[in-house]
């Protein structure tokens, strides 16, 4: 405030109280000059609904015109006079006017609901279509729900109509699976299978068995590993290392369920290949004392 013996008038943006000039507070303005006289008191005008003025008595030039009252930005509104700030529309609602018309921002009802298949965060100007693997069947959604494991929704937010119901989440076909909120399905890896559509997980073949490839659809696809190979549950058949062999040719899964099923070549024999059923004899005139060699 000015001292008592300062200028004779209060400037625009100031109000007079007890012969002292004060800058208008937030949400208010005053566009006239005022003669400082005893007994005279003035008050600042309120910014109208749908507008705000943030400056809180710091600068008179920020309060010297009704134009200093700013229309709320998109996604916001003000339903009170003399507002220092605007309120954000709640999540799931929008206000798309970009600060053009105060009457479009003067009530909470100016915030409109997002439709099914879309959502918004608080203070938004527009609704966003749910992303891949997500949907919402409700209006005014703050978030989208994830498709359940074993299902997928591949559309990449091109159309709200493709994200407006749980039924938009399609089951993965047999031989494939998906996690929660997936946009696509993944084929079961070698050594696993999924017999039903909409499976959340692939089931492993028992130890000693595997499948011929990926995307297997039933247990009967699991076959005993061949001679020279083994596997743990849910894996691919792996060849015994050079210097070892496994003779069984797929008669019993328990003979192929561990690396320990691979037998070291005996004395006088060798193996320089991976995954063989037998070891080779040393050539005539040669010998090999040590076991497990792979010349």
């Amino acid at each position: 405030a000015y001292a008592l013996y300062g200028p004779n008038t209060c400037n625009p943006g100031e109000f007079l109280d007890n012969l002292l000039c004060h800058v208008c507070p937030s949400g208010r303005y005053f566009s006239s000059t005022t003669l400082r006289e005893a007994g005279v008191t003035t008050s600042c005008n309120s910014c109208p609904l749908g507008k705000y003025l943030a400056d809180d008595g710091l600068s008179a030039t920020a309060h010297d015109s009704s134009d200093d009252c700013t229309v709320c930005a998109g996604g916001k509104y003000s339903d009170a006079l003399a507002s220092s700030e605007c309120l954000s529309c709640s999540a799931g609602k929008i206000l798309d006017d970009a600060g053009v018309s105060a009457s479009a921002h003067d009530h909470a009802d100016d915030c409109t609901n997002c439709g099914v298949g879309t959502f918004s965060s608080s203070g938004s100007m527009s609704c966003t279509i749910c992303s891949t693997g997500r949907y919402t069947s409700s209006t005014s959604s703050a978030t989208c729900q994830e498709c359940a494991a074993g299902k997928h929704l591949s559309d990449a937010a091109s159309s709200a109509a493709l994200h407006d119901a749980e039924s938009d989440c399609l089951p993965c076909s047999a031989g494939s699976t998906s996690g929660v909120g997936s946009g696509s399905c993944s084929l079961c890896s070698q050594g696993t299978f999924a017999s039903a559509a909409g499976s959340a997980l692939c089931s492993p073949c028992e130890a000693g068995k595997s499948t011929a490839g990926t995307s297997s659809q039933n247990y009967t696809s699991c076959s005993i590993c061949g001679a020279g190979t083994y596997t743990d549950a849910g894996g691919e058949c792996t060849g015994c290392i050079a210097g070892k062999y496994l003779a069984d040719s797929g008669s019993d899964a328990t003979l192929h369920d561990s690396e320990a099923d691979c037998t070291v070549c005996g004395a006088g024999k060798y193996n320089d290949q991976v995954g063989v059923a037998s070891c080779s004899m040393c050539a005539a005139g040669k010998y090999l004392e040590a076991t497990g060699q792979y010349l």
Side-chain angles (χ1 to χ4, degrees):
Y2 294 137
L4 183 59
Y5 300 104
N8 291 326
T9 59
C10 293
N11 295 320
E14 299 173 333
F15 67 97
L16 178 64
D17 181 37
N18 196 25
L19 291 178
L20 295 177
C21 298
H22 304 269
V23 177
C24 293
S26 60
R28 297 177 182 273
Y29 69 95
F30 196 73
S31 56
S32 302
T33 57
T34 304
L35 184 64
R36 295 171 64 199
E37 295 179 315
V40 175
T41 299
T42 59
S43 60
C44 300
N45 301 309
S46 297
C47 290
L49 303 181
K51 293 187 175 185
Y52 74 102
L53 202 166
D55 183 85
D56 193 15
L58 297 179
S59 171
T61 58
H63 299 262
D64 61 3
S65 169
S66 61
D67 291 338
D68 294 321
C69 300
T70 305
V71 177
C72 295
K76 296 176 179 288
Y77 68 95
S78 171
D79 57 2
L81 297 172
S83 293
S84 61
E85 60 182 357
C86 298
L87 304 174
S88 294
C89 293
S90 58
K93 297 189 175 188
I94 63 166
L95 203 167
D96 59 5
D97 181 84
V100 176
S101 172
S103 63
H105 298 261
D106 62 2
H107 197 279
D109 289 343
D110 293 323
C111 302
T112 57
N113 293 335
C114 288
V116 293
T118 67
F119 72 101
S120 73
S121 56
S122 62
S124 295
M125 289 184 64
S126 61
C127 301
T128 303
I129 298 173
C130 297
S131 60
T132 55
R134 295 171 180 266
Y135 71 96
T136 176
S137 56
S138 302
T139 60
S140 64
S141 294
T143 59
C144 297
Q145 295 173 268
E146 293 180 313
C147 293
K151 297 185 176 184
H152 71 290
L153 202 168
S154 60
D155 179 73
S158 70
S159 171
L162 298 176
H163 298 261
D164 62 0
E166 195 279 334
S167 58
D168 293 322
C169 301
L170 303 178
C172 294
S173 59
S176 64
T177 63
S178 71
V180 173
S182 294
S184 61
C185 301
S186 299
L187 298 178
C188 291
S189 61
Q190 191 168 356
T192 67
F193 64 94
S195 56
S199 296
L201 296 171
C202 297
S203 300
C205 296
E206 65 181 278
K209 292 185 177 184
S210 189
T211 59
T214 61
S215 67
S216 295
Q217 299 182 8
N218 50 61
Y219 175 76
T220 58
S221 300
C222 299
S223 301
I224 299 174
C225 293
T229 63
Y230 68 93
T231 184
D232 297 327
E236 300 179 33
C237 294
T238 302
C240 295
I241 63 172
K244 292 186 177 184
Y245 71 100
L246 202 164
D248 182 80
S249 58
S251 67
D252 185 348
T254 62
L255 299 178
H256 298 261
D257 62 2
S258 169
E259 195 278 334
D261 294 320
C262 299
T263 304
V264 174
C265 293
K269 296 183 178 182
Y270 71 95
N271 167 34
D272 58 1
Q273 302 294 319
V274 173
V276 299
S278 61
C279 299
S280 301
M281 298 290 294
C282 291
K286 293 186 177 182
Y287 72 97
L288 187 61
E289 293 183 351
T291 61
Q293 298 298 300
Y294 56 89
L295 299 178

